[in-house]
Amino acid sequence: PRGGGGGGRSGGRDSPRPDSRSGSPAIPVDEPAAEEGPEESEEPKEMTQEEYKKNKTLLVDYFFDDKDEKAAIETMKEWVGFDPDRVADFLTFFVFRSIERKGMDWQAANRFFRLLPTVLSAGAFKDGIAAIAGNIDDYRCDLPLAPQYIAQMFAGPIADGHLSFAELAEICKRAGPPKEKDDDDEPDEIEEGYILEEGIALDVVCKALKGVADIAGAPRAAIVFEESGVDLADFANDLTVAADKIESTFSLSEILSGNPLTPVKGKIAELLGAEEGFEASAVAAEMEGAFDAGIRSSAEYVQEVALAALRAAIPDASKCDSDRPMEELERFIPLLKSVVWGPDKDDKEGREMAMLFAAQRFAHDAGHPPGLLTRLFKDVYSGDVVCERPILQWRDDSSATVPGKDKALFEVQEYLVELAPEEDEDEEIHE
């Protein structure tokens, strides 16, 4: 080992050295220490094209073997000179190699693709999506189901708010393969509108929307679709199903029937705004009777009800005393517990995270008064609405559907440190 005893020599560096003339030990003499100047840290060099080709191939090969999407993302963080210019090339390379691979684990590919926006600039990522869409007909020649697999890849970033459904729709309307060039000096151009004309675009956008419902729930997909303003009929032509058959062909009825949270907003506002006052447990019971389990099990339902409860409990967040438990919030705890615990145990931690995102949104809308979010986290934790693991999962979550995450993390960083020992104990229990 480096610095490990000098290959078996006796004595350390401070042992007296024998005097060459008398053989007796010499008196140790303190030698003046060499002057140390400030260390110059070298700027990491950008990858050459050859280094980039080697690195991207190694990363994809390793990922295919171990399916560790987090390790792959950590490796990409170290690539200098990658974003933005090489992003589109990497994304198309990854998709091509995935299609080429026999027995491809598409679920693993989807997990990796979903994390990519956390290490890529937004513009470069969207350019990469456009490059993939432009090549989709070529991919389909190698694998007929390629549009379906690619649509499912796109679903993760849409569900997490890194790519809007409107942006995907616009990309698919314009996408096409590169035009052939007679001269290398000619500018790069695409056959704009090609995948729309070939009937591929409808398949991609509809299956991406269905993919959002599969991974984040129909309420989330319905909200994504409603906010986009996209008309799916714009993608229908002679090579696709008729516009009036889109909903049934792609099993989108639950998504296209409207935002299921619209009646939730009206109902919770009515109950919490009753002139004669209310009991939180009675409100919880009435909400349970008004909405089916499919709606109540969703994170979107929890966020909507929790945000309404926080606004009713704390009408002026700037006047809150964050040094003590909030008495104003206490009466709402039974309601919050009811919506977070939900109709079943499935994805309870997801609903707990939704409660925390509602608190984040409330603090963001209030302008992040000092101490407010930490107080809210402490109160819902002590009230058994959430436990420590979802708080730490909220910390690590990279989705962009709720604004104000950076300020929120800064606000609660000391509280997260307090929870760290409990995180270790929780991990030991689960092991």
Side-chain angles (χ1 to χ4, degrees):
R2 190 175 179 181
R9 288 168 49 189
S10 63
R13 60 180 292 179
D14 295 324
S15 300
R17 288 167 289 184
D19 184 16
S20 60
R21 291 169 296 178
S22 64
S24 58
I27 299 172
V29 177
D30 290 330
E31 296 178 1
E35 291 185 10
E36 294 184 2
E39 291 186 7
E40 293 184 7
S41 58
E42 288 187 10
E43 287 287 328
K45 294 180 180 178
E46 290 192 5
M47 292 182 289
T48 64
Q49 187 61 14
E50 286 305 311
E51 288 171 337
Y52 163 64
K53 286 180 179 179
K54 179 182 176 182
N55 286 340
K56 75 175 181 181
T57 302
L58 284 173
L59 183 140
V60 170
D61 286 344
Y62 280 129
F63 173 73
F64 285 160
D65 288 340
D66 61 25
K67 300 177 180 60
D68 188 341
E69 65 276 7
K70 292 181 180 177
I73 291 295
E74 288 303 312
T75 298
M76 291 180 71
K77 288 179 181 178
E78 298 173 3
W79 287 358
V80 180
F82 171 60
D83 189 347
D85 297 336
R86 289 165 168 158
V87 169
D89 174 80
F90 176 79
L91 295 187
T92 52
F93 174 76
F94 176 71
V95 171
F96 174 73
R97 289 290 304 277
S98 299
I99 286 169
E100 207 177 35
R101 186 176 176 83
K102 290 183 180 179
M104 179 63 194
D105 185 342
W106 287 99
Q107 292 300 318
N110 293 346
R111 292 195 304 271
F112 173 59
F113 204 86
R114 191 172 181 177
L115 289 178
L116 283 170
T118 66
V119 291
L120 303 178
S121 58
F125 180 68
K126 288 164 191 171
D127 288 344
I129 296 288
I132 292 170
N135 287 304
I136 207 164
D137 196 33
D138 287 342
Y139 299 144
R140 189 174 62 164
C141 291
D142 294 327
L143 182 66
L145 289 177
Q148 175 180 323
Y149 291 133
I150 289 169
Q152 288 169 350
M153 276 188 181
F154 293 165
I158 294 171
D160 292 340
H162 296 296
L163 175 71
S164 74
F165 187 66
E167 287 170 332
L168 177 64
E170 188 60 31
I171 286 170
C172 287
K173 281 182 179 178
R174 298 186 62 252
K179 285 183 178 179
E180 292 186 7
K181 296 190 293 185
D182 296 326
D183 188 339
D184 289 342
D185 292 333
E186 290 181 21
D188 293 333
E189 293 182 356
I190 63 169
E191 295 183 41
E192 190 167 319
Y194 179 86
I195 74 164
L196 178 64
E197 293 169 6
E198 291 296 309
I200 306 170
L202 178 65
D203 204 33
V204 173
V205 294
C206 288
K207 287 179 177 173
L209 189 59
K210 187 69 167 61
V212 173
D214 291 340
I215 62 178
R220 175 75 188 131
I223 293 168
V224 159
F225 178 69
E226 183 180 73
E227 291 177 347
S228 73
V230 170
D231 185 352
L232 295 178
D234 292 345
F235 294 85
N237 59 32
D238 292 341
L239 297 179
T240 70
V241 298
D244 61 355
K245 300 292 184 185
I246 291 174
E247 184 175 315
S248 59
T249 301
F250 293 97
S251 303
L252 299 177
S253 57
E254 193 176 6
I255 299 169
L256 303 186
S257 59
N259 186 343
L261 295 185
T262 301
V264 172
K265 294 178 185 180
K267 187 67 175 177
I268 192 66
E270 172 196 330
L271 293 173
L272 296 182
E275 291 183 8
E276 65 274 12
F278 65 88
E279 287 290 333
S281 55
V283 171
E286 191 153 349
M287 293 296 287
E288 285 179 18
F291 301 101
D292 64 37
I295 296 294
R296 289 186 289 111
S297 63
S298 71
E300 285 70 26
Y301 174 84
V302 174
Q303 284 192 42
E304 199 63 54
V305 176
L307 189 57
L310 291 173
R311 287 170 175 163
I314 311 166
D316 188 351
S318 64
K319 294 181 179 178
C320 283
D321 180 0
S322 59
D323 293 329
R324 58 170 181 82
M326 289 187 187
E327 293 177 7
E328 312 95 299
L329 190 58
E330 241 178 83
R331 65 187 292 231
F332 288 84
I333 291 297
L335 172 61
L336 297 177
K337 284 177 73 171
S338 172
V339 298
V340 167
W341 289 28
D344 52 50
K345 292 182 180 178
D346 292 343
D347 200 29
K348 179 174 177 288
E349 288 186 348
R351 292 193 293 272
E352 290 178 71
M353 285 178 63
M355 172 70 239
L356 299 169
F357 275 114
Q360 173 188 321
R361 180 59 186 255
F362 178 75
H364 171 79
D365 291 348
H368 282 283
L372 172 65
L373 189 59
T374 299
R375 183 74 266 159
L376 291 175
F377 274 29
K378 286 182 175 180
D379 287 358
V380 294
Y381 176 63
S382 63
D384 288 331
V385 179
V386 303
C387 58
E388 63 271 9
R389 194 217 275 278
I391 297 176
L392 297 163
Q393 288 174 331
W394 167 87
R395 174 196 65 189
D396 298 333
D397 187 272
S398 60
S399 62
T401 56
V402 179
K405 183 65 176 288
D406 289 341
K407 284 187 177 180
L409 283 171
F410 180 78
E411 164 73 27
V412 300
Q413 60 183 336
E414 289 185 12
Y415 181 54
L416 294 175
V417 172
E418 289 176 25
L419 285 178
E422 297 187 49
E423 176 187 24
D424 295 338
E425 290 172 14
D426 196 43
E427 290 298 326
E428 287 175 13
I429 291 169
H430 283 81
E431 285 173 6

